[in-house]
Amino acid sequence: MIVTPSAETKLAEMLKPGQHLRVEIRSGGCGGLEKHWEIDQQIHTDDVLVDDCVVVYCDSWQLVQHATLDYVSSILKQGFELQIPDATMTCGCGKSFK
């Protein structure tokens, strides 16, 4: 997984010491799989740590290992985006994929 400089900067601003952004792919959404993230302090032994600021559940790693985590700030949108090049379909809202 690639964490862009803009995502790294935003994470450095918002995370307190010992916190990480946890990334998980769950069943759901119109595409069948849904992106989910939250701030977490725990790192499990089977988690994957990316750039010391992002933690990925091992079950989700296979789906996001080639992904790019970016932070976008524009007039139209502000927030994290997880771009998954292996996705065969994405929904209009950008949270769900197949």
Side-chain angles (χ1 to χ4, degrees):
M1 174 187 282
I2 297 169
V3 180
T4 66
S6 61
E8 286 179 347
T9 299
K10 187 62 177 179
L11 288 169
E13 290 173 7
M14 63 184 277
L15 295 175
K16 296 176 184 171
Q19 290 183 330
H20 299 85
L21 182 70
R22 178 171 289 282
V23 175
E24 180 182 14
I25 303 299
R26 299 177 178 174
S27 294
C30 55
L33 297 171
E34 198 170 46
K35 305 167 192 173
H36 176 77
W37 42 75
E38 65 186 2
I39 295 174
D40 194 356
Q41 291 183 313
Q42 294 184 356
I43 299 178
H44 306 283
T45 57
D46 55 350
D47 285 339
V48 177
L49 182 62
V50 181
D51 289 350
D52 294 325
C53 58
V54 178
V55 174
V56 182
Y57 280 111
C58 71
D59 294 343
S60 300
W61 178 246
Q62 188 173 7
L63 297 168
V64 300
Q65 64 184 339
H66 300 116
T68 299
L69 179 67
D70 194 13
Y71 184 80
V72 177
S73 182
S74 69
I75 294 173
L76 299 175
K77 182 177 183 178
Q78 183 173 358
F80 289 102
E81 287 186 350
L82 188 62
Q83 301 158 358
I84 303 174
D86 298 331
T88 57
M89 187 272 308
T90 58
C91 68
C93 71
K95 290 188 174 193
S96 178
F97 68 99
K98 182 174 183 177

